[in-house]
Amino acid sequence: SRPILDMSYSRHFLDFQGSSIPSSMKKLVVTKLSQNFREAVTLQQDSPVPLPGDGDLLVRNRFVGINASDINYSAGRYDASVKPPFDIGFEGVGDVVALGLSASADYTVGQAVAYVKAGSFAEYTVVPARQAVPLPSVKPEFLTLMVSGATAYLSLKELGDLSEGKKVLVTAAAGGTGQFAVQLAKKAKCHVIGTCSSDEKGGFLKSIGCDRTINYKTENVESVLRKDYPEGVDVVYESVGGKMFDLALNALAIKGRLIVIGFIAGYQNPTGLQPIKAESLPAKLLKKSASVRGFFLNHYLSDYKMALQHLLKMYERGDLVCEVDFGDMSPEGKFTGLESVFRAVDYMYMGKNIGKIVVELPHSVNSKL
């Protein structure tokens, strides 16, 4: 085994005697490829706690984020070559509890960090130090920025061409990433329209600056857009897919841009797609000199740190609301512990969340750290 900075600590760590780090942990593992998360994923009770290498941190996870694409990952849609079993979960916030010698140049035991890396649905995760983001404290709000905030920031910056007075439509606007698209478009002095599924969500959207909310359960989105925005909308931040994609496409203004950041309506389908009326897509784009662009965060990692630093500063200045949903209003209450990740994924697909869904992983208070 490679050296860990504090050698007295490392001995404890390696033989687990008297150490506050246990020898085994709980984690979620994909054991079968399926878009049904409960079918695909197994909670393992006694996985060995991994050992950090020279440039690594061992992070004790305190909060983990739920993403719509967790289902795509458990279905094997991102990398067909990866076969089960494999770890799941994209992002976490926690404390450094052990680290390699090289990693100790920039980090110390007890430091708060966030990270984006597969395998966060575990009590402990090994994270390369260069991928970690140092934080002032362990707060769930920081987790909202890692994937959701960065996706909104980079997609709108790179593809949105936002400027004062532009009309921006955000679908699933009260969700984990929609909340940031609304706020960032408002910061660019745009007029923002947000779709949502309840009056409570509409109230939240108004509180973060949304100019026009459309509750698609009680209002006809197509009619509202045609009546209130006869010239169309300039930019759509689209994450729903299916019928909503068709509506958004039809609502584009001349030279309008539709940014696809997801299509959650289809993720639970075996094919992963809800049908859209794509046959007429070339004609519709040509008629309006419009464009449809896809955005996948992994293709913009060279700008990721810059985006995150910008968002962290905005949050610390009080310029950004980072709404967290712990599932307090869900039937069985707050999402606590890895076993509640299954409930949290169900809650997301029922469309109940306001803001980013986060699961808290409690740890015993008698830890030495």
Side-chain angles (χ1 to χ4, degrees):
S1 56
R2 301 183 207 169
I4 293 172
L5 179 63
D6 174 350
M7 293 314 289
S8 63
Y9 184 85
S10 102
R11 272 200 309 283
H12 282 318
F13 181 63
L14 295 178
D15 65 11
F16 302 113
Q17 291 189 359
S19 169
S20 59
I21 301 175
S23 57
S24 64
M25 65 171 186
K26 292 180 186 175
K27 73 171 180 176
L28 295 185
V29 178
V30 176
T31 48
K32 173 190 172 187
L33 295 184
S34 171
Q35 74 284 348
N36 179 329
F37 192 82
R38 288 178 181 270
E39 230 174 64
V41 179
T42 305
L43 174 62
Q44 295 191 345
Q45 299 282 351
D46 53 358
S47 294
V49 172
L51 193 65
D54 180 56
D56 296 333
L57 312 173
L58 181 67
V59 178
R60 181 180 64 182
N61 293 314
R62 298 266 299 281
F63 299 102
V64 294
I66 304 295
N67 291 283
S69 42
D70 289 328
I71 279 187
N72 285 339
Y73 199 64
S74 69
R77 288 180 184 142
Y78 288 146
D79 186 350
S81 67
V82 178
K83 300 285 179 270
F86 55 86
D87 297 346
I88 190 166
F90 291 129
E91 54 187 344
V93 165
D95 315 286
V96 175
V97 292
L99 70 173
L101 195 56
S102 298
S104 69
D106 300 303
Y107 290 92
T108 57
V109 167
Q111 190 163 353
V113 293
Y115 64 89
V116 175
K117 177 183 179 284
S120 70
F121 291 164
E123 290 178 313
Y124 296 86
T125 303
V126 167
V127 179
R130 67 180 186 279
Q131 289 179 23
V133 178
L135 297 175
S137 61
V138 174
K139 283 173 76 171
E141 285 78 8
F142 292 125
L143 195 55
T144 67
L145 302 174
M146 300 301 293
V147 171
S148 301
T151 294
Y153 179 87
L154 285 168
S155 63
L156 289 173
K157 180 174 178 288
E158 297 295 324
L159 309 177
D161 192 24
L162 300 184
S163 59
E164 187 170 354
K166 291 273 176 77
K167 293 185 276 297
V168 179
L169 171 65
V170 180
T171 64
T177 186
Q179 64 171 328
F180 295 110
V182 167
Q183 294 178 79
L184 293 168
K186 283 307 293 177
K187 295 268 181 271
K189 299 190 167 78
C190 297
H191 176 94
V192 182
I193 309 130
T195 70
C196 61
S197 60
S198 71
D199 291 341
E200 189 191 359
K201 290 184 179 188
F204 165 68
L205 289 173
K206 288 197 175 89
S207 77
I208 58 171
C210 197
D211 297 288
R212 173 67 159 99
T213 61
I214 307 174
N215 177 349
Y216 62 80
K217 295 276 177 78
T218 58
E219 294 182 272
N220 183 302
V221 179
E222 193 172 12
S223 303
V224 171
L225 290 173
R226 197 180 295 128
K227 176 173 161 288
D228 293 1
Y229 305 95
E231 301 292 307
V233 295
D234 302 295
V235 179
V236 182
Y237 183 87
E238 217 295 274
S239 61
V240 177
K243 287 179 185 156
M244 189 62 84
F245 174 89
D246 287 329
L247 286 179
L249 181 69
N250 291 338
L252 282 178
I254 303 293
K255 298 183 184 174
R257 290 174 299 287
L258 194 157
I259 305 169
V260 177
I261 64 119
F263 38 94
I264 190 171
Y267 291 174
Q268 290 181 302
N269 289 3
T271 61
L273 288 168
Q274 284 263 21
I276 58 166
K277 295 176 180 146
E279 303 85 16
S280 56
L281 186 63
K284 285 179 180 177
L285 296 179
L286 180 65
K287 187 177 165 188
K288 295 178 174 178
S289 294
S291 65
V292 176
R293 294 284 300 271
F295 177 90
F296 188 46
L297 186 60
N298 290 15
H299 299 149
Y300 290 83
L301 293 182
S302 57
D303 299 317
Y304 178 77
K305 282 246 160 124
M306 170 277 297
L308 206 55
Q309 282 161 357
H310 185 83
L311 290 165
L312 284 165
K313 280 185 190 137
M314 284 178 74
Y315 172 67
E316 284 164 7
R317 283 198 309 264
D319 287 344
L320 201 60
V321 172
C322 297
E323 189 70 18
V324 172
D325 191 332
F326 278 120
D328 294 298
M329 306 307 288
S330 67
E332 292 169 59
K334 185 175 175 180
F335 302 133
T336 305
L338 284 172
E339 45 285 338
S340 70
V341 167
F342 297 97
R343 281 200 301 121
V345 169
D346 289 344
Y347 180 74
M348 169 177 284
Y349 279 91
M350 287 188 287
K352 299 292 188 189
N353 59 300
I354 296 181
K356 174 86 179 180
I357 301 177
V358 173
V359 173
E360 183 172 5
L361 305 185
H363 286 273
S364 58
V365 291
N366 60 1
S367 161
K368 291 180 182 176
L369 295 170

